[in-house]
Amino acid sequence: MSIGFIVFGHGSRIESANESVREAARELARAGGLEHVEPAFLELGEPDLEGAVSRLLAHGIQRIRVIPYFLTLGTHLERDLPRIVADISSGNNGLAIEVTAPLDGHPGLIRALLDRATLSLPCSDKT
């Protein structure tokens, strides 16, 4: 059974923020050797989740894993995403769509925070 992946972000009026999610999806595909990875947005970005699912289905994907590009489990992941996933699944003959946990709690997140904390930054205070 072929599986496709969707990196699901909130979306922003600032297009560079949306492009960061698209780039994360491209990097995930490269790093994981994954052939079918699409970005998607809850709002303010294209494609939306239904559009990303359609793109994957056009490639013969039979199962989809949605990876939230969110730090924590909030209202959008707890309420909105399950509703959207259920609607898309039922509209596609019970398409299997799984949703992973958000990034919170992943050990890689602490490594990234530590990296940011210990990065040598230029000092702007000359006193």
Side-chain angles (χ1 to χ4, degrees):
M1 180 177 283
S2 55
I3 183 167
F5 302 89
I6 296 174
V7 177
F8 181 71
H10 183 276
S12 174
R13 286 181 178 85
I14 300 170
E15 187 53 34
S16 62
N18 296 336
E19 188 53 36
S20 292
V21 175
R22 292 182 192 104
E23 181 60 25
R26 288 189 292 269
E27 286 297 317
L28 174 64
R30 277 192 283 271
L34 304 171
E35 188 175 349
H36 301 288
V37 180
E38 294 288 336
F41 300 93
L42 177 65
E43 57 188 21
L44 305 171
E46 291 292 329
D48 62 6
L49 191 59
E50 188 170 8
V53 167
S54 293
R55 289 180 185 186
L56 292 172
L57 293 177
H59 290 282
I61 297 301
Q62 299 166 321
R63 193 169 125 224
I64 295 174
R65 182 169 296 147
V66 177
I67 306 164
Y69 200 67
F70 285 68
L71 285 178
T72 59
L73 181 65
T75 302
H76 291 314
L77 296 186
E78 198 169 73
R79 183 191 65 203
D80 301 330
L81 183 56
R83 178 186 46 78
I84 295 166
V85 165
D87 289 348
I88 293 170
S89 178
S90 68
N92 287 281
N93 299 317
L95 174 67
I97 304 174
E98 321 171 326
V99 178
T100 71
L103 299 172
D104 186 36
H106 191 283
L109 182 59
I110 300 305
R111 286 192 297 273
L113 288 171
L114 183 59
D115 181 56
R116 292 288 192 239
T118 59
L119 210 97
S120 179
L121 297 175
C123 182
S124 61
D125 184 15
K126 300 289 184 187
T127 57

